[in-house]
Amino acid sequence: MSRISQPDPELTHRLSRRGMLGVAAGATAAALLGAAAAPATAASSTASATAGRGRPVLPPGRLGIQLYSLRDKVSTLGFAPVFAELEKYGYDEVEFAGYTQGSAGPLTLAQLRRLARDHGLNPIGSHVGYYSDDPNAYTFAQNLTKVLDDAQALGLKHIGTASGPFRYGSTVDAWKRAAEEFNTYGAAAKARGMKFYQHNHSEEFSFATDNPKVRLYDVLLAETDPDLVFLEMDIFWAYSGQFRFSKRPDGSPAPFEPLDYVLRQPHRYPLFHVKDGVSDPADTYGYRMTDVGDGDIDYQRFISAVTRLRGERLAHHWQAEHDQPTESFTFARRSSAYLHSLRDKGC
């Protein structure tokens, strides 16, 4: 995929739109659904090679997908055909990135919730903006009550943001201030039986501008209440952060392992984004995003390490994602096949 070093264009796109709009036509729907039925390629071969004896790495009932990966299909076909495909591919859950669809017709939140459940999909979470200069924006800072009302109507157990805590800057105090706001959102979510969470990109692992010995992600963890604020680790972006920020600005070493954050505080990570990348040191971010199973991130190792922890096998939800898949249904199908094929040889 193509990337720039300034604010993530995919994140900007996601936060600037609440809905996904488009026009659905019968011929278009048939063509797009037909594309998803194409024979599997590399992922199927990888899945066959990986399958074997041992406990499945992926816990039962815990494979989801971030619907941003399927935004093109939602906008052209509507949610119903998309959910039908995901059901066929073996998905258990969905994470929303907007609650509207194209000209397939409007849906109430209650109807959307039922539609997902009718296809065996549990609505597990949703991404909403953190803040905006627009007082009417659909964000936590501007419309917290509405955001939580909608999440509750959908029956979500998690409601979060993919915005980094950069609202007030990149100093330690700026992140402490953002953490206070996250604690407020977390308390409000908890009062309704939900968990507030933050989804990382690579920049969260950078260093404070006023104290380059301090990693900003560590400030977030330290200053947010672990009973109120949770994390959705985007594993691809965490390893990108490892590539980019394993040295301080002065060049001194500052190595870290993303998995270690989870193993130290597994209860803080109810959700994960399973996103793959091919290692490329020439790329600014260290990886080129690809379909799950085609990259260099060791998901057998990562997921196994988390689910082997006592009492943690069913405590986490694994959401497949690709920001710009070549063909989104194909991505969804191949990713599910690969992840379901993994076996924990140690069990």
Side-chain angles (χ1 to χ4, degrees):
M1 66 174 279
S2 174
R3 302 193 192 95
I4 58 176
S5 59
Q6 295 304 310
D8 181 1
E10 298 301 329
L11 176 60
T12 301
H13 177 78
R14 181 182 304 178
L15 299 181
S16 67
R17 302 176 65 194
R18 181 183 170 199
M20 301 184 233
L21 306 176
V23 178
T28 303
L32 289 172
L33 288 172
T41 54
S44 293
S45 299
T46 305
S48 298
T50 310
R53 296 181 179 179
R55 183 176 70 171
V57 167
L58 193 69
R62 291 298 186 269
L63 178 61
I65 191 166
Q66 166 51 256
L67 290 172
Y68 183 70
S69 303
L70 296 157
R71 61 195 180 277
D72 62 323
K73 300 299 192 291
V74 173
S75 67
T76 54
L77 304 177
F79 281 109
V82 170
F83 289 167
E85 290 299 298
L86 295 177
E87 182 180 18
K88 288 195 300 184
Y89 302 158
Y91 283 93
D92 310 297
E93 302 173 335
V94 288
E95 183 183 32
F96 287 98
Y99 309 137
T100 60
Q101 58 182 349
S103 61
L107 289 173
T108 66
L109 295 178
Q111 289 172 328
L112 182 55
R113 179 182 184 180
R114 286 196 300 272
L115 184 62
R117 295 292 175 85
D118 287 347
H119 288 286
L121 299 169
N122 180 34
I124 193 65
S126 181
H127 284 187
V128 176
Y130 167 20
Y131 67 93
S132 171
D133 293 333
D134 178 2
N136 297 313
Y138 189 76
T139 64
F140 283 95
Q142 278 66 44
N143 277 293
L144 177 61
T145 299
K146 175 61 174 171
V147 167
L148 296 181
D149 285 347
D150 288 352
Q152 202 162 23
L154 279 166
L156 302 181
K157 294 300 183 184
H158 309 84
I159 180 69
T161 184
S163 300
F166 292 96
R167 182 179 187 180
Y168 305 106
S170 300
T171 66
V172 172
D173 284 343
W175 274 52
K176 287 182 178 181
R177 186 176 175 187
E180 289 178 7
E181 294 182 341
F182 282 12
N183 284 333
T184 298
Y185 309 149
K190 184 177 181 179
R192 301 200 190 202
M194 293 180 283
K195 292 180 178 180
F196 169 80
Y197 64 94
Q198 193 268 343
H199 162 289
N200 65 275
H201 287 76
S202 61
E203 288 77 10
E204 281 87 336
F205 297 95
S206 63
F207 298 93
T209 53
D210 62 332
N211 188 345
K213 292 183 178 181
V214 175
R215 193 180 302 280
L216 288 172
Y217 196 70
D218 295 336
V219 177
L220 177 66
L221 286 169
E223 297 297 327
T224 50
D225 186 329
D227 293 325
L228 300 178
V229 177
F230 298 86
L231 292 309
E232 176 179 61
M233 179 175 281
D234 185 304
I235 299 168
F236 171 93
W237 287 120
Y239 280 102
S240 172
Q242 181 192 58
F243 172 84
R244 298 179 66 193
F245 303 113
S246 284
K247 291 184 179 180
R248 297 183 181 88
D250 65 1
S252 60
F256 73 96
E257 165 56 53
L259 177 59
D260 289 344
Y261 277 105
V262 182
L263 298 182
R264 285 194 293 266
Q265 299 187 70
H267 66 285
R268 297 208 72 177
Y269 294 88
L271 304 171
F272 292 91
H273 273 188
V274 180
K275 185 185 296 181
D276 213 344
V278 175
S279 179
D280 182 359
D283 188 285
T284 300
Y285 293 93
Y287 292 86
R288 290 178 284 106
M289 201 174 294
T290 189
D291 290 355
V292 180
D294 289 347
D296 295 315
I297 297 176
D298 189 345
Y299 276 110
Q300 180 167 338
R301 167 181 171 266
F302 194 103
I303 299 175
S304 294
V306 176
T307 57
R308 283 176 187 169
L309 296 172
R310 184 174 182 179
E312 297 294 328
R313 180 156 174 78
L314 296 176
H316 308 275
H317 306 265
W318 307 87
Q319 315 294 309
E321 189 185 35
H322 192 315
D323 287 357
Q324 294 181 336
T326 301
E327 205 294 313
S328 54
F329 276 153
T330 300
F331 157 74
R333 174 175 50 80
R334 296 172 80 241
S335 297
S336 175
Y338 174 75
L339 291 168
H340 277 111
S341 77
L342 295 177
R343 293 294 180 270
D344 189 341
K345 305 300 184 182
C347 295

